[in-house]
Amino acid sequence: MTTLKDVARVAGVSRATVSLVCRNSPLVAAKTRARVEQAMAEVGYVYNRSAANLRSSRTDTIGLVIPEIANPVYAEILQGIEECMAPLGKQVVMASTSESLEVQDRILQRMLEMRVDGLIISAATGSAPSTFDACIRAGVPVVQVLRSVDSARLDYAGTDNRAGAGRATRHLLSLGHTRLAFLGSSVATSVSHDRYLGYCDALQAKGLSVDQELVASCLPKIGDAAAAAHRLLSSANPPTALVCFNDIVAFGVTMALYERGQEPGRDVSVIGFDNIEWAENWRPALSTMSISALEIGRHAGELLSRRLQDKEEAPQRMISEATLIERRSTGGLAGPR
């Protein structure tokens, strides 16, 4: 294997200068850096970062643990986190739990073994505050993102899901709808709970009771949501509008409507939540609540950056507001059907 000494010889610099280049030190002039990097390529040198980490007791890596890889929201969150971590010289390493507590425990243990400098996590369903005990004992800062585990005294970045779902419901009420269904997530998290409460808040503020026959849940997958929507729409007195847990669930609802010969936004109104990229390009374009997932990721990165500087600071919460994006999937109450 080639060594720093080999690179130094080819580049015509000292071994110490090569070491500074490997560590991205600002003390090296641009021309010298370019010459060293060229020499590294010529001799096939690969920096042994693990050995350097052992010497510095810092890995410059951040762990990101998410519950599902398919949801585009987490891609935006990752981007926001990376925007915060890159200037600090830190690399984000991501893993998915697939909503398994057992898998989550293994991932967290592996992250600790990798000596990550900090963790950002959207915890799997059923997680308890004790989930984070090993990280806390190891002195690894933890920030919760999007999902919040009750009683866990940790930094948190997310959106006001309850208020956002309330706004979504009020939007449909303002269009004349009074028979509104809620299609939530069967994955029980703080997010699904708060969005359901927001739906209830808006109905009750309008003097309407919450009809449990109009409340259903499904996996946050298009096919499962379509099947649940068919059941709701097949009732003797079906809803004229649906508030959906997220955009993916709303996509399933629109598919069910098309299968029934109905048009979303004309025959039945549908509103989602999250405003993922597909929402604008769906047919019809989906009305939804934008949570600015990219901003949430930036907030999580900012909170972790602060925590890395001061581990004794009281836990902080950064909550963004969900904003209504009105598109073609919502419309006024149709005539008698």
Side-chain angles (χ1 to χ4, degrees):
M1 293 182 65
T2 55
T3 65
L4 288 180
K5 186 176 180 180
D6 298 323
V7 177
R9 175 177 50 79
V10 173
V13 298
S14 69
R15 184 180 179 281
T17 299
V18 177
S19 179
L20 289 172
V21 171
C22 291
R23 288 183 281 129
N24 294 318
S25 171
L27 301 176
V28 182
K31 288 185 178 180
T32 303
R33 179 182 299 277
R35 191 161 76 248
V36 170
E37 289 173 346
Q38 177 64 33
M40 290 169 68
E42 288 179 14
V43 302
Y45 177 75
V46 178
Y47 183 46
N48 190 338
R49 190 167 297 278
S50 295
N53 291 339
L54 286 173
R55 291 191 295 271
S56 68
S57 71
R58 190 184 70 239
T59 63
D60 284 332
T61 56
I62 298 299
L64 172 61
V65 182
I66 62 173
E68 55 175 326
I69 197 71
N71 192 333
V73 165
Y74 289 107
E76 292 187 52
I77 286 174
L78 170 62
Q79 182 182 344
I81 293 169
E82 287 181 328
E83 287 180 8
C84 288
M85 293 296 110
L88 302 179
K90 297 189 183 297
Q91 179 67 45
V92 180
V93 179
M94 185 174 71
S96 172
T97 65
S98 299
E99 296 289 6
S100 166
L101 293 175
E102 182 180 352
V103 171
Q104 181 172 268
D105 287 342
R106 288 203 304 268
I107 289 172
L108 291 177
Q109 180 60 36
R110 182 58 59 87
M111 293 285 187
L112 291 177
E113 292 170 359
M114 292 168 57
R115 299 292 191 270
V116 293
D117 296 340
L119 275 166
I120 298 175
I121 182 169
S122 186
T125 307
S127 295
S130 59
T131 299
F132 313 111
D133 284 354
C135 299
I136 294 170
R137 286 195 299 269
V140 176
V142 179
V143 173
Q144 296 187 94
V145 66
L146 209 59
R147 296 180 177 183
S148 176
V149 176
D150 290 343
S151 304
R153 288 186 50 77
L154 300 170
D155 295 311
Y156 170 74
T159 193
D160 191 335
N161 290 291
R162 186 167 182 170
R167 291 189 188 98
T169 306
R170 288 196 300 274
H171 168 61
L172 295 175
L173 290 169
S174 73
L175 295 174
H177 299 278
T178 56
R179 192 157 178 78
L180 278 67
F182 180 82
L183 186 48
S185 171
S186 58
V187 180
T189 65
S190 62
V191 176
S192 58
H193 177 68
D194 287 348
R195 290 180 183 177
Y196 170 67
L197 290 180
Y199 160 80
C200 295
D201 291 342
L203 289 182
Q204 292 165 354
K206 189 72 172 177
L208 300 171
S209 60
V210 178
D211 185 347
Q212 290 302 318
E213 291 186 0
L214 295 178
V215 177
S217 63
C218 63
L219 290 172
K221 299 179 182 295
I222 291 177
D224 205 53
H230 275 299
R231 292 191 292 271
L232 283 169
L233 295 164
S234 296
S235 66
N237 189 12
T240 64
L242 288 92
V243 179
C244 299
F245 165 70
N246 67 10
D247 292 343
I248 293 172
V249 169
F251 295 158
V253 172
T254 62
M255 287 181 61
L257 286 169
Y258 282 130
E259 289 167 359
R260 301 172 70 85
Q262 294 177 296
E263 184 177 332
R266 184 191 67 186
D267 300 312
V268 178
S269 287
V270 183
I271 190 166
F273 212 113
D274 290 343
N275 194 32
I276 62 177
E277 184 180 359
W278 302 343
E280 184 177 7
N281 301 305
W282 199 251
R283 289 296 176 268
L286 184 68
S287 293
T288 185
M289 300 302 298
S290 174
I291 65 171
S292 300
L294 180 65
E295 181 182 33
I296 291 175
R298 289 171 180 151
H299 287 168
E302 183 179 338
L303 287 170
L304 185 58
S305 298
R306 293 181 190 173
R307 186 61 56 191
L308 290 169
Q309 295 295 321
D310 184 359
K311 294 184 179 181
E312 302 304 319
E313 185 181 18
Q316 304 292 316
R317 295 174 65 85
M318 297 185 72
I319 310 296
S320 59
E321 295 296 322
T323 56
L324 174 65
I325 308 295
E326 187 175 356
R327 299 191 180 105
R328 291 183 56 201
S329 70
T330 53
L333 183 64
R337 291 178 291 163

